[in-house]
Amino acid sequence: MKVAVIGATGAVGREMIRILEDRAFPVDGFVPLASARSDGLPVTFEGTEHRVRELTVEACRGVDVAFVSAGADTASRFLPEIAANGTLCIDNSSAFRMEPEVPLVIPAVNPEALEGWPKPGIISVPNCTTITAVLAVAPLHRAAGCTSLVLSSYQAVSGAGHKAIAELLEQVEKLRGDEEALAHPDVPTLVGPVMGRAIAYNVIPRIGAFQADGFTGEEAKMMAEPRKILSAPDLPVVATSVRVPVLVGHAVSILAEFARPITADEARDLLRSAPGVEVWDDPAGDVFPTSIDAAGGDVALAGRIRQAPGRDDALVLFSCADNLRAGAALDAVQIAEHLYK
């Protein structure tokens, strides 16, 4: 197949290229595309150097599958016409996720959403935090019927791109040797243009713009997307998203209520047999997942599974996943693998 990676120079785009190589996806022609500022930059795929071209509709003619990680505005502008010209677009942006005719897919959770594909069109990859949470929740939902979710996320700066990573590292370096000053920090000198607040040695409970209801854009995604993926349109979901000074790996604390009693032991058994998730949960052995444990991995790590106090129908658990890989690029490639297996 002729394959394009749109956003080939970005963090997720580069991860897509690595995964396509690692998993030996059948690529006969490779087309790296990005914005005009990346035009001409070199990208290596399977040992061959390719030059990045500026994204245009014409540049995608003849492409069978396009893996897209270029932001919602770019996706909205280009993908409808690219798809109309015969390309299957697997899109990591939020542009089309909630469109009724666009599948929103985690292959390990709802592969049935891909029935009737492949064909030219758009398939959406969920938000990386949604994937981290739903991989852990879905097996429990199938068994016991989830009736409500409360999600609190702890999200790595790489979710905001390379500039956010650089901002964190610059702030850490600025404070090196002067850590005592954090007791009385000169906050304005630490505020960067990407985060809008100091991110080194700090947490920021705002990802995306605030909406009229007080929730942020990221929180709105985390509340809407699980309903579509789980085919549970009336499922109550409340989310709080927080940026933390971690480079790679999103984590989510989950409070899940169910339609019937479910124990922590049953939940562990269900998750151990579920695809896309591994159980790291042994309090006696001090085993639990962290973001750095998940970095570079292809699954969500679920742990801290425990009964909500006084409830036999509610559980609390913690899930971590690599936001660039398991939470984005891998999901896109797995969609294509499912379609072209």
Side-chain angles (χ1 to χ4, degrees):
M1 287 181 287
K2 189 174 184 180
V3 171
V5 174
I6 297 174
T9 57
V12 174
R14 289 204 295 267
E15 197 65 43
M16 284 176 173
I17 293 170
R18 282 192 287 267
I19 292 171
L20 289 168
E21 291 177 316
D22 292 346
R23 298 171 74 91
F25 190 80
V27 179
D28 299 317
F30 177 69
V31 183
L33 302 170
S35 65
R37 65 179 177 271
S38 296
D39 190 24
L41 292 178
V43 170
T44 300
F45 179 71
E46 294 185 335
T48 300
E49 187 176 278
H50 300 260
R51 293 289 168 177
V52 174
R53 295 161 56 194
E54 181 180 357
L55 171 62
T56 63
V57 172
E58 191 60 35
C60 290
R61 286 198 181 274
V63 168
D64 297 297
V65 182
F67 297 95
V68 187
S69 181
D73 290 342
T74 299
S76 297
R77 178 183 171 193
F78 286 99
L79 295 197
E81 190 171 351
I82 291 171
N85 287 341
T87 299
L88 171 62
C89 301
I90 303 176
D91 179 31
N92 271 272
S93 84
S94 61
F96 305 100
R97 287 177 185 154
M98 301 314 296
E99 296 294 328
E101 72 278 6
V102 176
L104 182 64
V105 183
I106 305 172
V109 173
N110 63 330
E112 66 278 0
L114 296 174
E115 291 179 7
W117 296 74
K119 59 187 178 183
I122 299 169
I123 297 172
S124 283
V125 173
N127 175 274
C128 46
T129 319
T130 300
I131 291 175
T132 303
V134 171
L135 280 170
V137 168
L140 311 181
H141 171 67
R142 285 193 293 267
C146 188
T147 58
S148 76
L149 284 174
V150 178
L151 308 175
S152 299
S153 71
Y154 310 87
Q155 300 182 218
V157 295
S158 55
H162 287 298
K163 290 182 179 179
I165 295 174
E167 191 166 287
L168 169 59
L169 297 178
E170 287 168 5
Q171 291 177 12
V172 170
E173 188 61 30
K174 182 182 291 186
L175 291 163
R176 192 180 304 278
D178 193 28
E179 285 81 3
E180 289 185 4
L182 287 169
H184 305 282
D186 183 1
V187 173
T189 66
L190 294 175
V191 173
V194 180
M195 295 290 103
R197 293 288 192 280
I199 182 60
Y201 308 102
N202 198 16
V203 299
I204 304 173
R206 188 260 296 127
I207 301 178
F210 286 111
Q211 302 180 339
D213 59 4
F215 288 90
T216 66
E218 182 77 1
E219 291 160 352
K221 298 171 193 174
M222 291 169 60
M223 292 189 287
E225 293 176 20
R227 300 185 188 112
K228 184 173 180 178
I229 297 164
L230 298 174
S231 298
D234 298 321
L235 177 66
V237 185
V238 177
T240 301
S241 61
V242 182
R243 190 72 73 188
V244 296
V246 170
L247 292 182
V248 176
H250 287 358
V252 187
S253 175
I254 303 164
L255 169 61
E257 298 179 333
F258 298 93
R260 67 160 175 85
I262 180 171
T263 65
D265 284 339
E266 181 185 356
R268 292 186 193 99
D269 289 341
L270 289 165
L271 290 170
R272 286 190 185 103
S273 61
V277 61
E278 288 182 7
V279 175
W280 286 38
D281 190 33
D282 180 11
D286 201 32
V287 175
F288 54 86
T290 71
S291 293
I292 205 166
D293 295 317
D298 289 349
V299 296
L301 307 179
R304 297 296 320 279
I305 303 167
R306 56 210 189 273
Q307 210 80 42
R311 300 283 299 273
D312 65 0
D313 60 348
L315 297 171
V316 184
L317 62 155
F318 196 71
S319 181
C320 303
D322 184 319
N323 53 296
L324 302 178
R325 192 171 176 94
L330 179 66
D331 192 87
V333 175
Q334 287 178 326
I335 289 171
E337 288 176 338
H338 182 89
L339 295 174
Y340 295 100
K341 60 187 176 183

